[in-house]
Amino acid sequence: MLFISAGHSNLPTKDQGAIYKPFIEGNEAALFCQTLKNNLDNLLVPNYLDPFENVLKDTLNAYKNLVKKTDFAIDFHFNANENTTISGTEILVNTTNKTTKLIATKLLQVIGSILNTKSRGLKGETDSQHSRLGFLHLPCESMIVEICFLSNKKDMDSFKKNEKELALKIAFLFAEYNL
């Protein structure tokens, strides 16, 4: 089964992630994940979407009890930086699993081709600004996708214009791998 998370809460009283007006990371990720889930449902891909009001701690606790070793979990985020010219897509993985790395590589290509963002590559936990990424330590294969930079106008213009197509193409990719 595919487990999907929007990374941050979409509730104003909880961790909403980065905010670069008019965009709020938690809101953008939640909308995208709902569209992705709808596409996965249409393709009959078994999936579970974490409630959007959950913060990371809640999601991790729930997923630790729900996922099995054969499941796959993906957490969607948007990068942000004070330097608003920084752009691109990256995926964080913590695995030597060749299939996970192949899916992540194809996912980078899909996102880059639809959004016209450059690939910032596959990265490991140590390449992150955090000392530990709990999502990468679930008892199943997992990855964190930084779709694009919330702080980059060109990235977000492209994302908003193409998000439905992006969600559909990603759903097809997951269907291809029977996730």
Side-chain angles (χ1 to χ4, degrees), residues 4 6-8 34 63-64 68-69 74 80 82 87 92 94 98 104 108 137 148 171:
I4 309 163
H8 295 277
Q34 186 61 61
Y63 280 14
K64 284 176 185 173
K68 298 181 203 93
K69 188 172 178 68
I74 186 164
E82 290 179 12
S87 172
L92 296 129
N94 188 23
K98 289 180 183 179
L108 271 174
H137 294 276
C148 65

Side-chain angles (χ1 to χ4, degrees), residues 16-63:
Q16 292 183 283
I19 299 175
Y20 276 85
K21 294 195 178 190
F23 304 113
I24 299 171
E25 182 179 8
N27 294 348
E28 295 301 322
L31 290 170
F32 178 76
C33 286
Q34 186 61 61
T35 304
L36 175 61
K37 181 189 182 6
N38 294 343
N39 289 320
L40 291 165
D41 290 345
N42 289 338
L43 293 171
L44 305 177
V45 175
N47 68 83
Y48 173 86
L49 178 59
D50 187 54
F52 299 134
E53 65 271 9
N54 277 0
V55 293
L56 178 61
K57 179 183 74 160
D58 298 334
T59 300
L60 290 174
N61 286 335
Y63 280 14

Side-chain angles (χ1 to χ4, degrees), residues 105-135:
T105 300
K106 286 189 174 190
L107 190 53
L108 271 174
Q109 293 167 347
V110 166
I111 296 170
S113 68
I114 293 172
L115 299 186
N116 198 28
T117 52
K118 74 173 188 159
S119 171
R120 294 171 53 88
L122 294 184
K123 298 185 175 186
E125 185 174 45
T126 58
D127 298 315
S128 147
Q129 64 186 3
H130 305 286
S131 60
R132 180 174 164 86
L133 297 169
F135 206 86

Side-chain angles (χ1 to χ4, degrees), residues 161-179:
K161 179 181 174 187
N162 299 295
E163 68 182 303
K164 287 186 174 138
E165 177 187 2
L166 180 63
L168 182 61
K169 297 283 182 165
I170 290 173
F172 277 120
L173 176 66
F174 291 148
E176 176 184 337
Y177 283 92
N178 296 314
L179 296 177

